[in-house]
């Protein structure tokens, strides 16, 4: 592909970043960027124009380390905060809706993916597992364990979903 655009500078002002960690694209072209060092998620239009920020205060919670953001089928934002070990849900314009009631006892969540069919996959590096939740945040199941085998993880860092396949980057095992 061809280079199209860049936006944002280093800093804490609107539209600036201090270590962007994750991003999501909505169906209408908005770009949502998790910015953990600024304790917020920022929204931009498809041209990179700043729209709004979610955080640090969201409802009764204060974001501490938002590392991942995803958009569900209802256009709501799901923000994974690694320090809070929770997923916070807001509307597409950043209005607080809820916190997932059952976090599946997340130990060290580092990444989250959405499959487009109603399920979120949260990578929990502390338990060497992928935990599955529905769009309401209800814990469904988990898989993987610690190790170097075929269905094991040693130091998982990132995951994503494409073409109905789950991809995981495991730093320690080189997989």
């Amino acid at each position: 592909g061809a280079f199209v655009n860049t936006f944002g500078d280093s800093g804490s002002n609107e539209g600036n970043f201090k270590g962007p960690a994750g991003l999501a694209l909505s169906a209408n072209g908005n770009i949502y960027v998790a910015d953990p060092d600024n304790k917020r998620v920022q929204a931009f239009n498809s041209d990179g124009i700043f729209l709004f920020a979610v955080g640090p205060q969201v409802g009764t919670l204060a974001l501490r380390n938002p590392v991942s953001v995803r958009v569900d089928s209802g256009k709501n934002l799901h923000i994974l905060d690694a320090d809070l070990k929770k997923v916070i849900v807001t509307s597409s314009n950043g209005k607080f809706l809820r916190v997932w009631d059952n976090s599946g006892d997340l130990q060290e969540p580092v990444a989250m993916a959405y499959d487009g069919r109603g399920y979120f996959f949260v990578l929990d590096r502390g338990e060497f597992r992928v935990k599955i939740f529905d769009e309401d945040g209800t814990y469904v199941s988990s898989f993987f364990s610690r190790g170097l085998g075929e269905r094991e993880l040693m130091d998982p860092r990132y995951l994503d979903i494409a073409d109905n396949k789950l991809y995981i980057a495991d730093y320690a095992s080189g997989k």
Side-chain angles (χ1 to χ4, degrees):
F3 175 80
V4 177
N5 191 10
T6 183
F7 57 90
D9 284 312
S10 180
S12 57
N13 293 329
E14 289 182 350
N16 294 340
F17 305 104
K18 280 186 177 178
L23 61 86
L25 305 174
S26 69
N28 67 354
N30 286 347
I31 304 162
Y32 301 95
V33 182
D35 188 8
D37 291 348
N38 280 321
K39 299 172 177 33
R40 65 186 178 197
V41 170
Q42 297 191 77
F44 301 86
N45 70 14
S46 59
D47 294 322
I49 305 299
F50 175 81
L51 299 173
F52 61 88
V54 177
Q57 196 66 35
V58 183
T60 60
L61 295 172
L63 294 179
R64 296 194 325 216
N65 189 15
V67 295
S68 186
V69 60
R70 293 290 183 236
V71 180
D72 70 15
S73 62
K75 302 178 185 167
N76 295 318
L77 302 181
H78 293 251
I79 302 165
L80 174 64
D81 190 296
D83 287 359
L84 295 175
K85 300 176 183 166
K86 295 185 179 299
V87 174
I88 297 97
V89 184
T90 73
S91 66
S92 61
N93 62 3
K95 180 183 174 201
F96 174 78
L97 297 176
R98 66 184 178 279
V99 176
W100 284 4
D101 290 333
N102 180 350
S103 68
D105 295 322
L106 295 172
Q107 300 300 307
E108 189 183 345
V110 294
M112 178 172 58
Y114 178 68
D115 70 359
R117 294 187 277 174
Y119 293 97
F120 287 89
F121 294 74
V122 177
L123 181 58
D124 190 337
R125 183 166 56 197
E127 288 196 354
F128 311 95
R129 301 183 72 73
V130 173
K131 297 180 178 181
I132 305 169
F133 299 85
D134 67 17
E135 285 185 354
D136 294 324
T138 302
Y139 175 78
V140 175
S141 184
S142 65
F143 52 93
F144 288 119
S145 61
R146 183 178 186 177
L148 293 171
E150 183 177 311
R151 296 180 184 266
E152 297 175 325
L153 302 170
M154 281 303 293
D155 188 13
R157 304 276 178 106
Y158 187 76
L159 83 163
D160 207 349
I161 296 173
D163 299 323
N164 296 319
K165 295 178 185 170
L166 179 67
Y167 296 89
I168 301 171
D170 190 352
Y171 183 80
S173 69
K175 297 190 256 184

